[in-house]
Amino acid sequence: MRQPTAIVIGGGIGGLTAALALDRRGWSVTVLERAAAPGSGSGHPAADAGGARRDGAGIGLAPNAQRALDTLAAGDAVRARAARQASGELRLPSGRRLARTDDAAAVRRFGGPVLVAHRADLIALLAARLPDGVVRTASPAALVDPGDPASPDRPARVRITGGAAQELTADLVVAADGIHSAVRRTLFPGHPAPRYAGFTAWRMVVPALDRPCTAHETWGPGGLWGTMPLHDGRIYAYATAAVPPGGRAADDERAELLRRFGDWHQPVPAVLAAVDPAAVLRNDVHTAAAAPPAFHRGRVALLGDAVHPMTPNLGQGGCQAIEDAVVLADQAAPDGDLAAALAAYTRQRLPRTMEVVRRAERIGRLTTWRSRPACALRAALLAATALLAPDLALRALDGIADWSPPAATYAAEARGTRTAELPKEHE
């Protein structure tokens, strides 16, 4: 029997997870990545306005994403390269603590801790688990025809547009080409594009500081700052500010951050002192303007930021893309009814991810409050809620981080065969 073929457009976290999941399911997979290395392209929400590497930052992996990676026999390797968020704090710029939580609370609530990894590490781990030759870099691609799953004689057609043009056909195409997805525009030309969420974001990774620091997020007027230690001692930091879209610092982005956050509590000044200005990534934050008609059309499935872009306030952008990939592969049996599989994928993923989009956006709006009275009221409400309802920061992830993937998984040594069940703690 002919092995079915799948093309994944985009070599970021979602695209590589989809490739790995489909490979284990029994598909012959090709990943087309426009950049010279997986995960390093621009045109993605994690790329800065100048096209800097989008993998040069951290990513939070809540238990839902870890369980999804476990089905691909990749969870333990990721945990070995990630930091367990032992505790987390919500603060004011003065350093006053409003709320605190720890990983024991996350384990009680969601069945596991929150991890923080470097994006480059996660991308490398996923890519290394794919067969040689699956990932084709420097291969920008465009969808020519979505195909028809009801017609064996009408596969999907994809054109590689860089260098010598080449057209490929596939039984399935997975579009993981980011917020400004060209595939989404081709499939749903009348659907509104993602809209600016009202704030821009900066991200950076700096060497280990002289003093260890606790993971924290600090909310101030019109923006926030976050600091998260990585497994090797380095620090992942991020910031947001309510500014008009499309802005760039007149000098450099580190100088812009110093102007906005330089007088906030430690370790914010220490992080800014340690960061190389060239290592600061800046990008405007966008969110889905409306739910799409579906997550698929023809033989094409949309995945991750290409179909449900969200603000980073729940740390779920990458996690939801990983979920998408595992659910899609679970539905898409190599010898099954592809039309039914893609319809089931939409039914499972569209309502869930759009709810995450809405929740993240609500929190994002809270972080943009500017006036002194509004910020004082916000701080009072957060502090009071933390006293009355411990684990305040975790409550926003109820119904999200406790998700479990489909019950069946695929043994690492037997691609394409459903042979193993999830460990008991994941059932």
Side-chain angles (χ1 to χ4, degrees):
M1 185 175 67
R2 183 182 72 87
Q3 186 179 25
T5 57
I7 292 174
V8 179
I9 301 177
I13 289 169
L16 291 175
T17 306
L20 180 58
L22 289 167
D23 173 69
R24 288 179 172 276
R25 192 72 161 103
W27 291 78
S28 174
V29 184
T30 299
V31 178
L32 301 178
E33 165 57 45
R34 65 181 299 172
S40 62
S42 59
H44 183 280
D48 78 339
R53 289 183 62 87
R54 74 178 185 228
D55 60 359
I59 180 172
L61 294 171
N64 53 314
Q66 296 172 50
R67 283 190 282 266
L69 291 168
D70 282 337
T71 70
L72 307 178
D76 287 343
V78 171
R79 292 183 189 96
R81 298 280 292 175
R84 186 163 172 155
Q85 191 171 313
S87 62
E89 298 177 344
L90 181 61
R91 297 184 182 182
L92 295 178
S94 65
R96 176 191 164 199
R97 189 172 72 191
L98 299 176
R100 185 181 185 280
T101 189
D102 58 32
D103 67 348
V107 171
R108 289 193 304 269
R109 201 171 196 98
F110 307 129
V114 175
L115 303 179
V116 183
H118 197 293
R119 283 180 176 269
D121 289 343
L122 179 55
I123 286 168
L125 285 166
L126 293 170
R129 279 163 171 72
L130 289 167
D132 291 343
V134 164
V135 181
R136 296 176 58 174
T137 57
S139 299
L143 181 70
V144 177
D145 182 353
D148 182 356
S151 174
D153 297 328
R154 189 183 166 191
R157 293 189 293 128
V158 172
R159 180 179 295 121
I160 299 175
T161 58
Q166 179 186 6
E167 189 166 289
L168 305 176
T169 61
D171 299 298
L172 170 65
V173 171
V174 180
D177 53 340
I179 262 186
H180 304 296
S181 170
V183 176
R184 182 189 64 236
R185 294 195 300 272
T186 299
L187 296 181
F188 304 115
H191 186 68
R195 59 177 176 77
Y196 183 54
F199 56 95
T200 196
W202 294 264
R203 289 155 304 109
M204 67 216 82
V205 174
V206 304
L209 303 178
D210 292 337
R211 294 183 179 181
C213 63
T214 299
H216 70 91
E217 196 164 273
T218 300
W219 289 18
L224 62 78
W225 176 281
T227 302
M228 293 186 175
L230 296 173
H231 79 287
D232 57 4
R234 290 179 297 169
I235 303 294
Y236 167 50
Y238 56 90
T240 68
V243 296
R248 299 291 292 174
D251 36 18
D252 62 61
E253 298 303 331
R254 175 179 174 273
E256 179 69 12
L257 290 172
L258 280 167
R259 287 188 287 270
R260 291 182 176 275
F261 303 100
D263 61 350
W264 286 25
H265 67 81
Q266 290 290 359
V268 179
V271 170
L272 289 173
V275 69
D276 178 351
V280 179
L281 308 181
R282 176 176 178 165
N283 62 281
D284 291 336
V285 176
H286 292 78
T287 187
F295 279 17
H296 74 285
R297 184 182 171 196
R299 294 177 176 271
V300 181
L302 292 158
L303 178 151
D305 289 322
V307 68
H308 51 69
M310 61 188 67
T311 70
N313 302 93
L314 288 174
Q316 280 290 310
C319 295
Q320 291 301 307
I322 290 169
E323 283 189 19
D324 288 345
V326 168
V327 172
L328 175 62
D330 181 74
Q331 291 296 326
D335 56 352
D337 183 336
L338 183 62
L342 294 180
Y345 170 67
T346 284
R347 284 196 304 272
Q348 290 190 42
R349 299 306 301 161
L350 193 153
R352 172 171 171 79
T353 55
M354 294 312 296
E355 172 61 20
V356 179
V357 167
R358 287 188 287 269
R359 286 201 210 178
E361 187 177 3
R362 286 197 295 267
I363 297 173
R365 285 197 296 268
L366 279 178
T367 69
T368 64
W369 289 9
R370 297 171 181 267
S371 74
R372 184 171 297 178
C375 290
L377 175 61
R378 181 182 65 189
L381 291 173
L382 291 171
T385 304
L387 286 175
L388 297 172
D391 306 332
L392 169 68
L394 298 177
R395 292 168 65 87
L397 289 171
D398 284 351
I400 299 175
D402 47 5
W403 177 89
S404 288
T409 187
Y410 315 104
E413 59 278 355
R415 286 197 184 100
T417 306
R418 299 172 71 123
T419 57
E421 296 296 320
L422 283 175
K424 297 238 179 248
E425 63 267 24
H426 293 154
E427 292 181 348

